């Protein structure tokens, strides 16, 4: 019997895969990993494969061309809806792979009640892609499977007792299966859509007529501002953030930064050629004030702020006055802070 395991590297996917792999009727296991633009890359995945799955076939596929399906820009962002859409896409792609390699079963680490996912959601997806009876979910096996199949595949007590497997259940099962019980590669923690505010950012971006993966990556930064009608201002603080932002500058972008060292770096993107001189000056002045405010938060002052277009060598300097408070910044006409986590007004 050949099985394919949907493998994110999370403890859930590791435990589910090993539970099925140890069954005497299973003669071959393949791990299938999907890379999503909404999931942070995990540098430890290869090390994990060498340590726990040495010799096991591992295949990886990209979902970059399908990311529009994760978020519906026509309605308010819903994490539950995004999770269902994500699972729909994963199962559709996995079903094609299962057929291509001639596997008998697909194994997932799904757990019920995670992000409000219900048994009916998963059962409906199985039927939609012709996989009814061929998807093994050992971590929620008490529904939709016969008692014999539960006893055969699900060795965790939680599914047998009719409750979702907890993190403690998984850690205990991992130890019993000879796996490290840490969950450093947890897929749920890597999914950016679970960060409060990120899904709303994505929905707003997808509502635009044209956008790029470069623009999508800009949403990863904590400080993103929009100024009507089409100005995006992204500010990076700290050396790691500034290094990441450096790779995203395009020739037509404006770079803004304080004249003193170790300050923030700001990327400004808009249709510069469609603006007159006065409009361009207003955008530059706004970006300079935002950069100055982040350079000296909480105190009214005037700072020299440098700016230049990436395609030019000439650097100019503008004396920019800081906003007296974050509230004053947000009260600026047409300016919106696309915040992640805590509201910008609560920032220091």
């Amino acid at each position: 019997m050949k099985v394919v395991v949907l493998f994110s590297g999370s403890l859930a996917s590791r435990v589910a895969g090993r539970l099925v792999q140890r069954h005497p009727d299973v003669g071959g296991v393949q791990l299938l990993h999907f890379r999503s633009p909404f999931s942070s890359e995990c540098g430890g995945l290869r090390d994990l494969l060498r340590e726990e799955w040495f010799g096991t076939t591992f295949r990886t596929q990209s979902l970059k061309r399908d990311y529009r399906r994760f978020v519906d820009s026509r309605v308010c962002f819903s994490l539950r809806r995004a999770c269902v859409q994500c699972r729909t896409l994963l199962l559709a792609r996995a079903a094609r792979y299962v057929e291509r390699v001639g596997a008998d079963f697909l194994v997932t680490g799904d757990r019920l009640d995670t992000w409000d996912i219900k048994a009916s959601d998963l059962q409906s997806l199985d039927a939609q892609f012709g996989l009814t009876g061929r998807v093994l979910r050992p971590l929620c096996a008490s529904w939709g499977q016969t008692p014999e199949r539960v006893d055969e595949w699900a060795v965790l007590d939680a599914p047998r007792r009719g409750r979702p497997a907890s993190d403690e259940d998984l850690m205990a099962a991992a130890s019993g299966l000879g796996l490290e019980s840490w969950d450093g590669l947890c897929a749920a923690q890597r999914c950016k859509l679970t960060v409060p505010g990120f899904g709303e950012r994505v929905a707003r971006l997808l509502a635009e007529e044209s956008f790029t993966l470069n623009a999508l990556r800009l949403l990863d930064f904590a400080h993103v501002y929009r100024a009507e009608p089409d100005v995006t201002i992204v500010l990076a603080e700290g050396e790691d953030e500034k290094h990441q932002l450096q790779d995203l500058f395009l020739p037509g972008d404006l770079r803004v930064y304080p004249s003193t060292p170790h300050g923030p770096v700001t990327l400004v993107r808009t249709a510069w050629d469609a603006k007159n001189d006065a409009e361009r000056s207003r955008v530059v002045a706004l970006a300079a004030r935002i950069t100055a405010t982040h350079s000296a938060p909480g105190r009214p002052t005037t700072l020299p702020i440098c700016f230049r277009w990436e395609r030019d060598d000439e650097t100019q300097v503008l004396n920019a006055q800081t906003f007296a408070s974050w509230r004053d910044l947000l009260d600026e006409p047409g300016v919106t802070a696309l915040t992640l986590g805590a509201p910008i007004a609560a920032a220091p």
Side-chain angles (χ1 to χ4, degrees):
M1 184 184 301
K2 181 188 295 186
V3 300
V4 172
V5 179
L6 275 183
F7 190 81
S8 66
S10 68
L11 187 60
S13 67
R14 291 159 57 210
V15 168
R18 187 56 54 85
L19 283 173
V20 175
Q21 183 190 43
R22 68 199 293 268
H23 193 278
D25 291 342
V26 174
V29 172
Q30 294 190 24
L31 307 179
L32 179 61
H33 177 76
F34 289 107
R35 304 187 310 277
S36 163
F38 299 132
S39 291
S40 303
E41 291 297 327
C42 182
L45 184 60
R46 294 290 179 178
D47 292 337
L48 175 68
L49 292 168
R50 284 193 296 267
E51 294 173 4
E52 292 187 354
W53 302 88
F54 183 77
T56 304
T57 300
F58 176 75
R59 294 289 181 268
T60 180
Q61 297 182 11
S62 173
L63 300 176
K64 287 184 178 179
R65 295 182 179 179
D66 304 283
Y67 57 83
R68 264 188 180 274
R69 293 174 57 182
F70 283 69
V71 177
D72 189 343
S73 62
R74 298 168 298 179
V75 296
C76 293
F77 174 75
S78 162
L79 183 57
R80 167 181 156 72
R81 185 166 53 244
C83 285
V84 172
Q85 289 299 323
C86 178
R87 281 167 169 76
T88 301
L89 177 58
L90 292 178
L91 210 59
R93 295 281 293 268
R96 294 201 296 267
Y97 185 82
V98 164
E99 295 304 319
R100 188 167 79 243
V101 301
D104 299 287
F105 291 100
L106 176 68
V107 181
T108 83
D110 286 320
R111 287 192 283 170
L112 293 184
D113 296 330
T114 302
W115 308 119
D116 203 29
I117 297 298
K118 305 299 183 184
S120 57
D121 297 321
L122 300 179
Q123 290 171 320
S124 175
L125 291 178
D126 292 353
Q128 180 179 344
F129 299 109
L131 292 173
T132 299
R134 297 179 62 193
V135 182
L136 300 176
R137 297 183 173 91
L139 308 186
C140 54
S142 62
W143 60 266
Q145 299 185 24
T146 65
E148 293 77 14
R149 180 59 55 83
V150 172
D151 291 337
E152 188 175 6
W153 296 100
V155 300
L156 298 185
D157 287 336
R160 289 198 184 102
R161 296 174 181 173
R163 65 174 176 83
S166 67
D167 292 341
E168 290 74 18
D169 293 326
L170 287 182
M171 294 175 66
S175 297
L177 294 167
L179 303 174
E180 291 289 340
S181 60
W182 62 278
D183 198 11
L185 306 186
C186 180
Q189 294 175 2
R190 298 203 311 271
C191 179
K192 301 171 187 176
L193 293 174
T194 64
V195 177
F198 189 84
E200 287 78 6
R201 284 184 175 186
V202 174
R204 182 165 182 162
L205 177 65
L206 297 186
E208 299 178 359
E209 292 184 1
S210 61
F211 62 90
T212 63
L213 285 176
N214 179 292
L216 186 62
R217 289 182 61 192
L218 290 178
L219 302 185
D220 291 344
F221 293 86
H223 301 296
V224 177
Y225 301 89
R226 291 299 301 267
E228 298 298 336
D230 64 345
V231 180
T232 298
I233 299 173
V234 181
L235 188 138
E237 297 179 313
E239 295 307 313
D240 288 342
E241 268 202 343
K242 288 190 284 188
H243 179 75
Q244 294 171 25
L245 187 62
Q246 173 63 39
D247 295 335
L248 299 177
F249 274 93
L250 300 178
D253 292 337
L254 182 74
R255 180 186 294 265
V256 184
Y257 53 96
S259 60
T260 55
H262 309 302
V265 174
T266 303
L267 178 153
V268 186
R269 182 171 297 171
T270 188
W272 297 105
D273 293 339
K275 291 178 170 49
N276 57 39
D277 290 343
E279 291 170 332
R280 285 193 289 269
S281 295
R282 282 196 294 270
V283 173
V284 172
L286 174 62
R289 292 196 69 186
I290 290 175
T291 304
T293 302
H294 279 272
S295 301
R299 59 184 179 92
T301 187
T302 299
L303 297 177
I305 301 296
C306 303
F307 65 94
R308 67 174 175 84
W309 277 267
E310 285 296 292
R311 59 172 172 252
D312 297 334
D313 295 328
E314 180 183 1
T315 298
Q316 303 178 58
V317 178
L318 175 68
N319 289 321
Q321 183 178 8
T322 63
F323 288 98
S325 67
W326 296 118
R327 178 53 52 195
D328 288 346
L329 191 164
L330 299 182
D331 286 341
E332 191 74 7
V335 176
T336 303
L338 305 181
T339 59
L340 293 182
I344 188 70

